[in-house]
Amino acid sequence: ERLAALIREQGIDILVDLAGHTAGGRLSTFARKAAPVQVTYLGYPDTTGLRTIDYRITDSIVDPLGSSEQFNTETLVRLAGCLLSLRLPEQKLRDCNRETLNGRLRLGCFNNFTKVSPHVVELWARILHEVNNARLLLRSRGLSDPPTARRILDMLASHNVPVDRVDLLGHEESDHLDRYNMIDIALDTFPYSGTSTTCDALSMGVPVVTLAGRTHASRVSASLLTAAGVPQGIASDDDAYVRLVVELAKEGTRSVEQRRSLRDQVARSPLCDERAFARKLEAAYLVMWEKATA
């Protein structure tokens, strides 16, 4: 109540939620209609279910026209291109020590481990069986827990993947982005795809393969890859997902030059055009306000 009163006192015209139903969210404030126009955006990949939130900002890839309206209490506002913009970090690209891997290709996934379903593991196992010289690196805070680490190894072992082909990294103090120097191909999760992790991989010149599903949460990576100019990493079904990774694996380990080339391509893409994105977002807010005051 105090926050809602403060927002009204400050005369906020458009109030934007960036958390939705996540830890620390403030949806109870939005339920009190603290501002004339209320919007949800970016931090939660679904409807809030609140009639007091007027709009949800999205794009036509994560929410194709006509496919999502019935599942949202908010009016969908689709930005042209991707629903977000990426600023590439200043991070050094370098070769990892391949001697310790015996020259093996390394596949990796740094997504939150709660996104790794048995179906995901099944497809990863298929890939490892087809790419005999590959190792799998998984990095997630949850893997610091021994029973959790044991479970993923057991899941892979049930598909006849030897544990010595899998590397698990839990919580560590080392630089997160620097770990992308250790992998050649980033494997996205499904049906809940990555967002930050997909951006991180592209930032470090690592190609990403994603399986686009039917919901917003399963299509964010597809939107990012399209805006980055690398839609060839988007699969439409299980077999395509495996095939795309196997085809990339045939190219072998990726050099610093190859990764730099991909990062440069991403840097020149619409995904990294911050100014154009800001103009689109401002235009969307202006239309919302004009409708509210008409």
Side-chain angles (χ1 to χ4, degrees):
E1 290 286 2
R2 291 198 305 272
L3 177 58
L6 178 61
I7 289 168
R8 296 187 189 106
E9 179 185 322
Q10 294 291 324
I12 300 299
D13 297 312
I14 302 176
L15 187 65
V16 184
D17 160 56
L18 295 173
H21 294 281
T22 62
R26 304 300 296 271
L27 288 181
S28 60
T29 299
F30 287 82
R32 289 166 169 79
K33 198 61 176 178
V37 177
Q38 299 194 138
V39 184
T40 185
Y41 171 52
L42 195 62
Y44 184 68
D46 208 339
T47 182
T48 62
L50 292 183
R51 298 289 179 184
T52 54
I53 295 187
D54 306 290
Y55 299 98
R56 183 163 77 89
I57 295 174
T58 182
D59 68 46
S60 60
I61 293 181
V62 290
D63 285 294
L65 187 65
S67 69
S68 305
E69 281 79 358
Q70 62 181 315
F71 303 114
N72 289 266
T73 54
E74 308 88 358
T75 296
L76 298 182
V77 175
R78 294 176 174 88
L79 300 181
C82 188
L83 79 161
L84 59 87
S85 181
L86 170 64
R87 176 178 293 181
L88 295 180
E90 293 294 331
Q91 188 73 18
K92 185 177 181 181
L93 301 181
R94 62 176 180 80
D95 275 321
C96 68
N97 185 358
R98 292 284 170 184
E99 294 179 5
T100 60
L101 302 178
N102 297 318
R104 282 184 169 183
L105 183 89
R106 204 171 216 175
L107 313 175
C109 179
F110 296 172
N111 290 19
N112 189 312
F113 190 72
T114 57
K115 296 182 179 182
V116 180
S117 67
H119 188 190
V120 171
V121 173
E122 177 187 352
L123 294 200
W124 288 352
R126 283 178 56 185
I127 292 166
L128 289 169
H129 287 308
E130 292 199 39
V131 187
N132 294 323
N133 68 326
R135 293 181 65 86
L136 177 63
L137 172 63
L138 303 179
R139 183 175 187 266
S140 177
R141 182 180 295 270
L143 295 177
S144 295
D145 175 55
T148 302
R150 184 71 257 168
R151 185 165 71 90
I152 183 63
L153 293 175
D154 289 344
M155 290 170 68
L156 287 163
S158 71
H159 295 285
N160 299 313
V161 174
V163 296
D164 61 1
R165 292 185 65 189
V166 184
D167 300 303
L168 304 180
L169 293 176
H171 176 67
E172 54 183 355
E173 298 302 327
S174 63
D175 185 272
H176 169 68
L177 288 175
D178 189 56
R179 286 300 190 185
Y180 281 92
N181 285 310
M182 300 176 66
I183 64 175
D184 301 291
I185 303 170
L187 305 178
D188 198 16
T189 50
F190 52 88
Y192 196 157
S193 74
T195 302
S196 297
T197 48
T198 299
C199 289
D200 292 342
L202 294 174
S203 297
M204 297 301 289
V206 178
V208 179
V209 176
T210 188
L211 175 53
R214 296 180 298 171
T215 64
H216 180 114
S218 66
R219 300 180 63 84
V220 175
S221 286
S223 180
L224 291 166
L225 294 181
T226 301
V230 284
Q232 59 269 29
I234 305 170
S236 58
D237 56 40
D238 290 4
D239 290 341
Y241 181 88
V242 173
R243 184 177 66 253
L244 290 177
V245 177
V246 171
E247 289 174 353
L248 271 174
K250 290 177 181 178
E251 299 176 8
T253 57
R254 296 181 67 82
S255 66
V256 171
E257 289 71 26
Q258 287 175 306
R259 286 185 278 127
R260 182 172 293 114
S261 176
L262 176 56
R263 185 161 75 174
D264 289 345
Q265 177 183 342
V266 173
R268 296 190 299 270
S269 74
L271 182 61
C272 293
D273 191 341
E274 298 176 12
R275 289 181 178 273
F277 179 80
R279 299 293 87 78
K280 290 187 296 184
L281 192 57
E282 289 172 341
Y285 287 142
L286 183 58
V287 169
M288 296 174 196
W289 182 244
E290 288 175 342
K291 287 182 177 180
T293 55

